[in-house]
Amino acid sequence: MIDRHATTLRDAHLLPDPARPGRLSRPAATQIEFADSKAHPQLQLADWAAGAVRQWAAHLAVGGGDRFAQDLENVVRPWVIEAIWPSVPAN
């Protein structure tokens, strides 16, 4: 997915910044390098975190799921709500 959209990611700074009207976005990436997670512990951790978020999100999207997916909420929710995804405003 990243490889397919590498040009867009590198050129994202040319898009308007929705948080700062009239200004361009800040650069998201200056270069993209692909690596094998077997050789990079940081990627092993990122793979684990992405898998945990995916399992929890799938549980939310379709309901049900196993107890592990439900238990992931306490760990995963703080990573994504108000960190990656915006929170829903309270009424």
Side-chain angles (χ1 to χ4, degrees), residues 1 23 25-26 37-38 43 45 47 50 73 75 84 89:
M1 183 61 71
R23 298 176 74 183
S25 295
R26 296 182 179 106
S37 62
K38 292 177 189 171
L43 293 179
L45 181 60
D47 287 347
E73 180 166 7
V75 175
I84 295 173

Side-chain angles (χ1 to χ4, degrees), residues 10 23 25 31 38-39 43 55 64 76 79:
R10 281 192 298 267
R23 298 176 74 183
S25 295
Q31 71 183 65
K38 292 177 189 171
L43 293 179
Q55 188 164 353
V76 172
W79 294 348

Side-chain angles (χ1 to χ4, degrees), residues 12 14 17 22 31 43 47-48 55 59 67-68 72 76 81 83:
L14 300 174
D17 186 338
Q31 71 183 65
L43 293 179
D47 287 347
W48 182 88
Q55 188 164 353
H59 160 71
R67 176 68 188 204
F68 180 67
L72 282 172
V76 172
I81 306 301

Side-chain angles (χ1 to χ4, degrees), residues 14-61:
L14 300 174
L15 299 171
D17 186 338
R20 302 176 309 154
R23 298 176 74 183
L24 296 178
S25 295
R26 296 182 179 106
T30 56
Q31 71 183 65
I32 298 171
E33 293 180 30
F34 294 93
D36 187 344
S37 62
K38 292 177 189 171
H40 298 278
Q42 303 93 323
L43 293 179
Q44 293 172 14
L45 181 60
D47 287 347
W48 182 88
V53 170
R54 186 210 58 79
Q55 188 164 353
W56 175 69
H59 160 71
L60 287 180

